[in-house]
Amino acid sequence: EPLVRLRGVTKSYPGSSPGVRRGGTGPAVVTAVDDVDLDVAAGEIQAIVGYSGAGKSTLVRLVNALEPATSGSVVVDGVELTGLPERRLRQVRLGIGMIFQQFNLLESRSVWGNLAYPLQIAGVGKAEQQRRISELLHFVGLPDKAHTYPRHLSGGQKQRVGIARALATSPKLLLADEATSALDPDTTQEVLELLKRVNRELGTTIIAITHEMDVVRTIADRVAVMEKGRIIESGPVYDVFSAP
Ligand code: ADP
Ligand code: ADP
């Protein structure tokens, strides 16, 4: 039983091009994800690659229960998301960590405040919050940054905080959307090493969206290549990239 299983998943948006509104020839709907099947086994690092507009972010929003699929089946950790009421979707979301290209930290809160936030939402008590946040800061190598505000951190440090925040509630699944695209090559390698440690030491399954082949080669076990909403190739990284 894979941790994430997609079957025949399609996501369409109403067409919004001016051509359509004027009765022109633009598409009536945009099919962002088109009949996708994908299995991600527990403990793996799955990369999803493709050019801008291929449908990668939409796919991740479907797995993260942020948006419903138009059709098809999205199962995360044994729970079918398609048709699930919003209240249950929110619960599923709490079990999934997410990191972003622009880090998405709360600028008005210290590092401590940023890490406390998901724990407060999850209803974790003060003492446990304190224990957990110290542990997380040590894990990501920022034990002395608890009282620093995001604007005083480097990009790499911000992403370490982003990773710590994503892990705060001990999710089984971590979704990374272009997590290293805003970082220089050396910092990218450091952050990728940290993600590898997350995977190996905590057993967290990771789905990483990227347009950077280096990211795939450095951390991924498997890769799926998206084009125009479809997965056009998928398999172990070695097989996909050594194909004739
Ligand atoms: P990627 O992450 O690979 O760059 P996206 O998933 O962002 O691709 O987008 C795939 C396609 O779906 C694009 O054509 C995009 O314009 C369209 N799209 C994505 N989100 C929306 C939305 N909320 N409304 C309308 N169209 C969207
Ligand atoms: P923010 O600026 O987001 O409010 P703070 O650093 O001021 O973040 O801390 C938010 C809360 O967390 C406060 O109630 C504070 O008592 C507690 N806190 C912050 N840092 C620590 C720490 N190192 N040990 C224990 N509690 C802390």
Side-chain angles (χ1 to χ4, degrees):
E1 174 83 349
L3 185 66
V4 176
R5 195 176 87 212
L6 309 185
R7 287 292 178 275
V9 173
T10 294
K11 177 68 184 181
S12 313
Y13 296 104
S16 58
S17 74
V20 172
R21 272 188 261 113
R22 289 199 306 269
T25 55
V29 295
V30 176
T31 305
V33 171
D34 188 3
D35 194 21
V36 161
D37 294 346
L38 182 70
D39 284 341
V40 182
E44 290 210 317
I45 301 185
Q46 168 80 53
I48 299 179
V49 303
Y51 296 115
S52 177
K56 306 181 299 293
S57 304
T58 302
L59 193 70
V60 158
R61 289 200 299 276
L62 297 176
V63 171
N64 196 22
L66 283 171
E67 290 191 280
T70 307
S71 60
S73 163
V74 179
V75 177
V76 178
D77 198 14
V79 178
E80 171 63 69
L81 304 189
T82 304
L84 211 62
E86 180 55 32
R87 186 181 55 81
R88 292 286 316 282
L89 289 177
R90 239 178 281 129
Q91 275 174 350
V92 171
R93 245 173 263 146
L94 283 176
I96 300 175
M98 182 102 196
I99 56 174
F100 307 88
Q101 179 170 5
Q102 292 305 329
F103 323 118
N104 295 20
L105 302 179
L106 298 167
E107 294 293 328
S108 63
R109 288 185 160 215
S110 64
V111 167
W112 186 278
N114 271 275
L115 299 188
Y117 188 69
L119 294 169
Q120 284 158 5
I121 291 176
V124 174
K126 272 275 172 189
E128 175 64 11
Q129 281 182 31
Q130 180 151 345
R131 195 195 61 75
R132 183 76 186 130
I133 292 171
S134 306
E135 185 178 71
L136 286 162
L137 286 175
H138 277 92
F139 185 79
V140 302
L142 298 173
D144 53 346
K145 297 292 183 190
H147 297 290
T148 304
Y149 282 76
R151 64 180 171 280
H152 298 300
L153 298 175
S154 68
Q157 290 171 334
K158 285 183 196 177
Q159 196 57 293
R160 286 170 186 275
V161 175
I163 291 168
R165 176 182 59 181
L167 295 175
T169 53
S170 307
K172 288 186 189 174
L173 178 62
L174 177 65
L175 302 177
D177 190 350
E178 299 284 3
T180 56
S181 299
L183 305 174
D184 64 54
D186 286 347
T187 311
T188 291
Q189 286 308 313
E190 286 171 26
V191 168
L192 293 178
E193 286 304 321
L194 175 57
L195 288 175
K196 264 201 226 178
R197 271 182 58 219
V198 169
N199 174 253
R200 288 195 192 135
E201 294 176 25
L202 310 178
T204 313
T205 305
I206 299 177
I207 299 179
I209 289 186
T210 183
H211 64 273
E212 299 172 309
M213 288 305 152
D214 269 0
V215 172
V216 179
R217 276 189 282 266
T218 307
I219 64 167
D221 300 307
R222 300 176 68 87
V223 59
V225 183
M226 282 192 86
E227 198 178 289
K228 295 179 182 159
R230 291 178 162 266
I231 290 182
I232 57 166
E233 229 178 317
S234 154
V237 171
Y238 180 84
D239 291 354
V240 171
F241 288 140
S242 63

